[in-house]
Amino acid sequence: MTPTSTTRPGGSASGGSVDQQSPATAIRLSGLSRRYADVAAVDGIDLEVPPGSFLVLLGPSGCGKTTTLRMLAGLEAPTDGEIHMAGRLVASARGGVAVPPGKRGAGLVFQSYALWPHMRVRANIEWPLRIARWSKARRIARAEEVMSLLGIDRLAERYPGEISGGQQQRVAIARTIAPEPSVLLFDEPLSNLDAKLRVETRGELLRIHRATGATSVYVTHDQVEAMTMATHVALMRDGRIEQFGSPHDLVARPASTFVATFIGTPPANVLPALVRNGRLLIADQEVGQTTEQEGGELWLMYRAESLNLDPEGPFTLDVLETSPMAGRWVISGTLAGRRVSVATAENPRAGLGSHVRVALPARPDAVFDQSGSRLDDGVVR
Amino acid sequence: MSALTSPPILPDAPETRPRPHRRRISWRHTVAALRDPVVVLGILTAAVLAILVVVPLSGLVATTLQGEGLQAWRDVLASPLSRNLFYEPLFNSLVIGFATAVGATLLGGGLAWLVVMTDVPFKKTIGLLASIPFALPSFALALSWETVFRNDRIGGRVGLIQDLGVSVPDWLAWGALPVSSTLVAHYYSLTFVLVAAALSGVNGDLMEAGEMAGASRARVAVSIALPVVMPAIVSAALLAFAEGVSNFASPALLGLPVRYQTLSTRLFGSISTGEVERGYVLSLLLIIVAAMVLFASTRFVGGRRSYATITGKGGRRMVLYLGRLRGPAALAALALVTMTTILPVLVLIMSSLARRTNSLTGGFTLHFWTGESDPSFAQGQRGVLRNPQVVDAALTTVTLGIAVAIAATLLGLAIGYVVTRLRGARPVTTALSLLSFLPFLIPGIALGAAYIAQFGRPIGPFPALYGTFAILVVAGAAYTLPFASQSGRSAVGQISRDLEEAATMAGAGLSRRMGRVVVPLASRTLLAGSVLVFVKMVRDLSLVVLLVTPATPLLSVLTYRYASEGFAQFANAITVIIAAISVAATVLARRLQGAAQPWVEK
């Protein structure tokens, strides 16, 4: 059940056994693509998650995560590939299958909330049930139930324009879970909330996720949200999955320099190293030895906590800023032309424009080839 | 450079991936698209528009390309008649168009600036009155001008001034000046509304930033506010130009009697005297002139979109303090709006009560409103309120206005919906945008001619529509299409796509989304648009003047007939009725708008 397969971009590591339909699969995407004219917004992604998972689609803007979510919802049709939900084929470009959005058993929480402004809160929640032909008694009971689950009972007779942003968010969630969908889709639902409310709502969403038992798919560009909420993370870039795994996998074993520099607070440092006579050089300083090809280049990853401030250290960090973080201090600056963060126990009291000396550990935390893909750690000695 | 962007991008570019069955996929997409109800709606709407707009136009063109039509081209463009038939009317049309554009821009723009940007008193009154002339029929102003300034050049009754013994020169009574003046008095109102909206949408920050940079208020007005609202000013000026070139009522009342011809009166004359082909050729030329002007100026403003942004942060507008000029400015503005609204309507009412035509000294009577038939009086005609023909015309006019408003609004909603919501079917949306804009280039009287050319005879199993109520509705819908589609587009465009997708997620189909989400949310804008269409139809003369027959009497045509037969009192009385209907519709619409969306202003 633990997702350990790391999907290389364009590869099919997790797509190998797609032909056997496992009942333990809630969502399966195979070769899913969406092109607009000549641009591929989503470019052949494969993944699957078991029921009850909390899948986070993570990545920078324009990576295709929202398009993927909209294809899951049925608001967008794939131009290639297939989507299975709970073992049922709901979309297939080749097979001409396109189950309409309302018939997929999925609910979507919009980034903008998309509450119907001309309906009161209660009507916003009840109308979808009416479309689904629930009896009046059941509708009323269910609306009461979800409103009390989200603590919005007393807003029932208000219009969306009369309640706060946080309350609108709750109404949107209540409306989405009322028809008891088996899949909950979230499109950056927290991006319109202030920082404090965001943290609170994060916990609230997890509570809802557990209470409903639904499988959730959650789109965000905020890696902190991904790390705190997900059971499965798919980090996307340029329409492909850069790495798919548990939050722990992504932090502990980043599959590429992109993953390494996207995940973590602060993200890991990645420095370019040249191979000369079997030695690895960063800014002409030897940092290790390698079996790699002479004259080549490697990327070496060092976590902020692996670097040390050391007056005798061989590298100079031009300090940009210092910030406290969970009882430690993170000092950031440029080293050999790249941005680097170092975590220390003491406040370094170094401000913009000052210089500190940095020492690297004997071995890097990870090694990547010139194209950015992970190599076996053993290539560096 | 940050570490995030500089690690090398993976080499396998998407272009190298095989893309099998591309053709099959795109074919399948076409089939799948036909299953999308929005696509189907788009194709149906495009077909309706083609029938409304393309068919009559092509009928018009086809008629002039055969037999007598070819001779008509020669007559109009290169014959001893050309000067009278075409070149002189063209010159007159262009002069009137230019004068209307300049006058309307100066008056309307200046008034808008005064109301929005300065501390002039009585802003509300000025603003309200300034928006009324557009709701009045353009012949209301022409008729009241005639009532006041008519002289004895062509015999018959003279106007109020001459009646008092003062001689009125011809240039003040007939031709370019009175025609242009009445059109300016009509269209400055539109300029005012457009420019005032643009000015009040200008973000206060922009101007404050200018002031922070050390610019004086006057300089800010010229260097910042003016460029920002320039697109609105230019488009208003264009509208005024196009309307001035193609207007029929004013030159027909104030020019035609002294043989001052414009393209539209020439075209009306040709068709009503049986020279149908010549009329069609003149229609095409009028369309070409209007289209050239609009296209040329669209290029001129090309790419300049409106910068005005609505920020929702009202009440922070900078105000220019007029100081000692405050009183005189208010006086001038009030005089202007009074002269173009209250005064003409008063003149019309007074003259409809005058015993002797255009004379305030010959006593007053209610005969022209409520009088019984009296052989010694007005050739035995009854007062308008007792005249079954007038009552009939009033009913037909209102019915026509409502029918066209409903038809055009539904079409406009369909167009707006498809154009804003349909993605991935460009040919359909482009066709819709073009077709719905096309009637804008066609002056009303030319569109009327096109409808006669195409629907005046039976087509296949369909009977000839000429002389029916149906042709009026269909032509009216085509005529008002640009307005209706604009309002449909902005109505749907302001509804976030998410709101509909949320309904889609709940399982609602197209008709349900329309009925429960789109229409309720768009109702306010749609209603405003449909009232505009209604008013435009009720007061229109140019479109219907060629299409109306005694079987389908309309108030505006009746007015025109009475006026050209010299029954000024009847003409003026009916004009007052039209004005009352238009103003009542506008007021009613405001009330309804308030009631339609209780959730907006709580």
Side-chain angles (χ1 to χ4, degrees), chain A residues 320-374:
Chain A
L320 290 171
E321 59 187 28
T322 305
S323 60
M325 196 173 285
R328 288 165 68 87
W329 292 82
V330 174
I331 178 166
S332 302
T334 47
L335 188 157
R338 316 200 68 81
R339 184 155 179 138
V340 163
S341 301
V342 183
T344 69
E346 299 292 317
N347 183 352
R349 301 190 187 285
L352 177 66
S354 60
H355 308 280
V356 292
R357 305 292 288 179
V358 174
L360 302 189
R363 297 179 54 136
D365 294 308
V367 186
F368 305 92
D369 69 14
Q370 201 174 352
S371 73
S373 318
R374 180 89 184 243

Side-chain angles (χ1 to χ4, degrees), chain B residues 436-441 477-487:
Chain B
S436 59
F437 177 71
L438 201 55
F440 195 63
L441 305 177
Y479 185 50
T480 53
L481 203 53
F483 299 90
S485 71
Q486 193 51 47
S487 99

Side-chain angles (χ1 to χ4, degrees), chain B residues 124-185:
Chain B
K124 273 197 178 164
T125 316
I126 297 172
L128 180 70
L129 288 178
S131 55
I132 284 181
F134 194 60
L136 298 177
S138 66
F139 49 81
L141 292 157
L143 283 174
S144 53
W145 186 286
E146 194 185 359
T147 304
V148 176
F149 292 110
R150 183 170 172 135
N151 68 9
D152 52 7
R153 172 158 167 198
I154 57 162
R157 283 293 173 186
V158 294
L160 295 178
I161 293 182
Q162 190 116 356
D163 187 58
L164 295 174
V166 184
S167 163
V168 177
D170 280 350
W171 57 264
L172 189 57
W174 307 104
L177 180 87
V179 172
S180 313
S181 306
T182 53
L183 288 176
V184 166

Side-chain angles (χ1 to χ4, degrees), chain B residues 155-333:
Chain B
R157 283 293 173 186
V158 294
L160 295 178
I161 293 182
Q162 190 116 356
D163 187 58
L164 295 174
V166 184
S167 163
V168 177
D170 280 350
W171 57 264
L172 189 57
W174 307 104
L177 180 87
V179 172
S180 313
S181 306
T182 53
L183 288 176
V184 166
H186 185 53
Y187 288 113
Y188 89 91
S189 167
L190 183 66
T191 313
F192 169 80
V193 172
L194 289 176
V195 176
L199 274 178
S200 48
V202 174
N203 189 340
D205 292 348
L206 286 183
M207 285 184 272
E208 274 166 13
E211 210 174 1
M212 291 303 290
S216 69
R217 294 237 156 145
R219 178 123 185 229
V220 165
V222 172
S223 309
I224 297 176
L226 191 64
V228 169
V229 297
M230 206 46 163
I233 294 179
V234 172
S235 55
L238 288 178
L239 273 174
F241 188 92
E243 300 272 9
V245 164
S246 59
N247 185 277
F248 172 72
S250 279
L253 291 169
L254 297 173
L256 208 49
V258 296
R259 302 213 187 85
Y260 178 86
Q261 297 269 12
T262 65
L263 280 183
S264 41
T265 58
R266 256 294 171 226
L267 132 64
F268 173 73
S270 298
I271 291 183
S272 53
T273 56
E275 296 281 358
V276 181
E277 282 78 13
R278 265 185 210 168
Y280 291 171
V281 168
L282 285 168
S283 311
L284 287 175
L285 291 168
L286 184 53
I287 293 172
I288 291 169
V289 170
M292 273 187 342
V293 169
L294 288 175
F295 268 127
S297 39
T298 326
R299 286 200 84 96
F300 170 71
V301 238
R304 292 192 66 171
R305 300 192 63 101
S306 170
Y307 308 106
T309 46
I310 298 160
T311 56
K313 290 185 206 160
R316 274 202 314 122
R317 199 167 304 128
M318 279 185 8
V319 167
L320 184 72
Y321 296 99
L322 293 173
R324 269 181 304 168
L325 291 175
R326 215 168 153 243
L331 211 62

Side-chain angles (χ1 to χ4, degrees), chain B residues 275-439:
Chain B
E275 296 281 358
V276 181
E277 282 78 13
R278 265 185 210 168
Y280 291 171
V281 168
L282 285 168
S283 311
L284 287 175
L285 291 168
L286 184 53
I287 293 172
I288 291 169
V289 170
M292 273 187 342
V293 169
L294 288 175
F295 268 127
S297 39
T298 326
R299 286 200 84 96
F300 170 71
V301 238
R304 292 192 66 171
R305 300 192 63 101
S306 170
Y307 308 106
T309 46
I310 298 160
T311 56
K313 290 185 206 160
R316 274 202 314 122
R317 199 167 304 128
M318 279 185 8
V319 167
L320 184 72
Y321 296 99
L322 293 173
R324 269 181 304 168
L325 291 175
R326 215 168 153 243
L331 211 62
L334 284 171
L336 173 68
V337 292
T338 312
M339 278 195 314
T340 53
T341 52
I342 298 175
L343 199 62
V345 172
L346 273 183
V347 165
L348 291 180
I349 293 176
M350 295 293 279
S351 85
S352 72
L353 298 173
R355 186 170 284 278
R356 262 175 45 215
T357 305
N358 295 346
S359 169
L360 298 185
T361 53
F364 293 95
T365 173
L366 274 174
H367 175 85
F368 296 99
W369 284 91
T370 56
E372 293 281 5
S373 179
D374 175 355
S376 68
F377 212 76
Q379 297 179 13
Q381 300 253 24
R382 280 178 274 189
V384 290
L385 297 181
R386 277 185 194 272
N387 187 338
Q389 209 190 352
V390 174
V391 176
D392 196 18
L395 283 177
T396 315
T397 304
V398 172
T399 316
L400 177 67
I402 293 173
V404 171
I406 292 173
T409 304
L410 285 180
L411 259 182
L413 176 64
I415 294 166
Y417 187 82
V418 174
V419 169
T420 51
R421 290 295 194 256
L422 186 61
R423 290 169 303 167
R426 280 200 76 91
V428 178
T429 50
T430 313
L432 282 183
S433 306
L434 273 179
L435 286 176
S436 59
F437 177 71
L438 201 55

Side-chain angles (χ1 to χ4, degrees), chain A residues 26-27 51-53 85-86 104-107 179-185 212-216:
Chain A
I27 293 172
S53 329
M85 284 170 129
R104 295 189 176 193
E180 299 174 339
S182 56
V183 175
L184 282 173
L185 307 170
T212 58
T215 307
S216 296

